[in-house]
Amino acid sequence: MSSHYLQIFTRRNAALLLLLGFSSGLPLALTSGTLQAWMAVENVDIKTIGFFSLVGQAYVFKFLWSPLMDRYTPPFLGRRRGWLLLTQLLLIVAIALMGFMQPSRDLTLLASLAVLVAFCSASQDIVFDAWKTDILPAEERGSGAAISVFGYRLAMLVSGGLALWLADRYLGWQAIWWLMAAMMAPGVIATLLAKEPDEAIVQPRSLEEAVVAPLRDFFTRNNAWLILSLIVLYKLGDAFAASLTTIFLIRGVGFDAGDVGLVNKTLGLFATIIGALFGGLLMQRLSLYRALMLFGILQALSNLAYWLLSVTDKHLYSMAAAVFAENLCGGMGTAAFVALLMTLCNKSFSATQFALLSALSAVGRVYVGPVAGWFVAGWGWPAFYAFSVAAALPGLVLLAGCRRTLDRAEKTREFAPRDRWPQAYRWAIRLLLLGCALAGVALALLALDALGVAHIDHLLATLFGGAALLGLAGVILGSLLDYLALRSAQD
């Protein structure tokens, strides 16, 4: 590959993206696997450890407070860098304070600090995503996404596997939190060295505008609902394949847990990093649409490696090859997908729109688990991985339908306005909002149930099911209207 395409990785923004990506990924593993391991060593009750996993909900619902970060500007460094510095300093303090705790003695205070770390980490993600969306020109989004994914994944390796090893062998559990807090310092330096995005970008003038305007801006675009469906479905096949990988390798094929941990976690992580970086390089030559289509096809075909593993004899090298291929192609798809999200954001409220779109992209990853388990129980592993290839096809079909919209957005940063059936589209939005409202009620009741205030287990499944059906009905109606509009425009 020519040096012209490699130069993108030597520019000033590349180093900043790497450091800020590292700072963004570091707290994630700390409040999940590392914290759980510490509590397990301290013999904390398994139910309590399970309850601590709820701190990760901040990453799912970060879109709820993202409008505040679009609307308000801290009194230092500007709208993006000011929020970045504030969240990073709070993270350093909160992570360091966790090192003074003992799970067996300070469980309530430790839980409060874990919630604070997760909240500040999700807030840092909001602003980092907005900053790179605002600062990167169209031709650098693919490589920028790849570099930030590299930093993010590297940080998860450091705060996950490396932190556990150091805590067990050398430093002890309390010192490891102080070390992780110190490793946030390069992110602070990157924030101070970074440039604030163009001051000409118009920011919302009120909180109401910060909440309503991003939604209005997105849903008045031509093909908005098809793009919404594309975001949900593009990595659906990849999510299916990844949802039960560890169980498949241990129970389905028969590898021992040590080999699976070494290959699936370590080799898989490095393959994802390589895939993201290689995908970023390729995107210097490809349009966004072509990159999404090529990497989407590779993502789908790479799932066949697991299918082949399920129908052949067990061998460590074949497992390593399957894990490497699937994660390599998945990393390429991730680089293109992050570039897509950046392209879809209006710079005036990129924090809100990116947070909403990234939360929506997690829907498939979160909810395929129960379906995947049911499918394997009924049809077996070979059929499951064959189906995971088929599950990627709807996203590719939607991508083909959105080609004009994406090409125009990449070249002009503009989206054609929608001019058909306004009343029908309003009903689609009402159904989607009603589903979100019902999901919010269900989450509030779930919290009450977890706290023992009310016992309403029988209602929760109904409420969540109703919320999913209403939201799905809105998306299907909007996508159908977009499809009909496309057909009538071609006639």
Side-chain angles (χ1 to χ4, degrees), residues 440-461:
V441 172
L443 285 170
L445 293 176
L446 178 61
L448 292 175
D449 186 72
L451 294 171
V453 177
H455 298 286
I456 43 178
D457 294 347
H458 58 287
L459 281 177
L460 292 175

Side-chain angles (χ1 to χ4, degrees), residues 154-218:
L154 184 62
M156 290 180 65
L157 180 63
V158 169
S159 61
L162 181 61
L164 293 179
W165 183 72
L166 289 174
D168 181 57
R169 297 289 182 88
Y170 298 105
L171 300 179
W173 282 102
Q174 291 183 299
I176 205 67
W177 294 94
W178 302 329
L179 176 63
M180 293 298 111
M183 295 192 77
M184 289 291 298
V188 174
I189 296 171
T191 297
L192 295 173
L193 294 176
K195 292 181 179 179
E196 184 68 11
D198 189 356
E199 293 182 359
I201 298 173
V202 179
Q203 70 181 81
R205 293 184 293 272
S206 66
L207 185 57
E208 180 183 4
E209 183 181 342
V211 174
V212 175
L215 297 174
R216 184 187 298 118
D217 172 80
F218 185 84

Side-chain angles (χ1 to χ4, degrees), residues 9-291:
F9 295 109
T10 63
R11 295 176 185 171
R12 182 172 183 268
N13 275 343
L16 297 176
L17 285 165
L18 179 64
L19 292 175
L20 290 172
F22 186 89
S23 179
S24 181
L26 193 76
L28 180 60
L30 286 178
T31 54
S32 55
T34 304
L35 180 58
Q36 289 180 11
W38 188 21
M39 290 191 292
V41 170
E42 295 286 327
N43 296 316
V44 175
D45 178 71
I46 187 65
K47 292 181 180 179
T48 304
I49 295 176
F51 186 75
F52 265 70
S53 65
L54 292 176
V55 302
Q57 294 300 303
Y59 296 98
V60 178
F61 296 102
K62 61 186 179 181
F63 63 88
L64 294 176
W65 62 91
S66 58
L68 296 172
M69 296 178 147
D70 269 332
R71 168 63 185 93
Y72 298 108
T73 302
F76 46 84
L77 296 184
R79 183 167 62 141
R80 300 307 186 205
R81 292 165 66 231
W83 281 118
L84 263 177
L85 182 63
L86 181 60
T87 55
Q88 288 167 345
L89 293 177
L90 285 172
L91 279 167
I92 290 173
V93 172
I95 293 170
L97 285 175
M98 290 181 75
F100 291 98
M101 304 294 115
Q102 284 285 354
S104 56
R105 183 190 66 210
D106 310 302
L107 199 58
T108 302
L109 189 54
L110 190 63
S112 301
L113 287 171
V115 170
L116 178 61
V117 169
F119 175 80
C120 292
S121 176
S123 301
Q124 181 189 214
D125 289 352
I126 291 171
V127 193
F128 174 49
D129 290 334
W131 178 80
K132 68 186 178 187
T133 298
D134 295 347
I135 208 77
L136 291 175
E139 64 273 11
E140 294 183 20
R141 287 192 191 118
S143 56
I147 295 168
S148 61
V149 169
F150 175 31
Y152 194 91
R153 297 283 184 173
L154 184 62
M156 290 180 65
L157 180 63
V158 169
S159 61
L162 181 61
L164 293 179
W165 183 72
L166 289 174
D168 181 57
R169 297 289 182 88
Y170 298 105
L171 300 179
W173 282 102
Q174 291 183 299
I176 205 67
W177 294 94
W178 302 329
L179 176 63
M180 293 298 111
M183 295 192 77
M184 289 291 298
V188 174
I189 296 171
T191 297
L192 295 173
L193 294 176
K195 292 181 179 179
E196 184 68 11
D198 189 356
E199 293 182 359
I201 298 173
V202 179
Q203 70 181 81
R205 293 184 293 272
S206 66
L207 185 57
E208 180 183 4
E209 183 181 342
V211 174
V212 175
L215 297 174
R216 184 187 298 118
D217 172 80
F218 185 84
F219 283 106
T220 54
R221 298 173 185 174
N222 192 32
N223 289 353
W225 289 92
L226 285 179
I227 289 174
L228 209 64
S229 300
L230 170 64
I231 290 168
V232 175
L233 297 176
Y234 180 72
K235 290 186 75 69
L236 186 64
D238 205 41
F240 260 105
S243 62
L244 298 176
T245 300
T246 302
I247 297 174
F248 163 65
L249 294 175
I250 295 175
R251 294 185 184 176
V253 187
F255 292 104
D256 64 67
D259 289 339
V260 171
L262 177 65
V263 174
N264 191 37
K265 299 301 181 184
T266 307
L267 181 63
L269 178 63
F270 280 111
T272 301
I273 292 172
I274 293 169
L277 293 175
F278 186 59
L281 282 174
L282 287 179
M283 288 185 71
Q284 301 304 303
R285 294 184 172 184
L286 302 171
S287 68
L288 177 61
Y289 168 78
R290 289 181 181 276

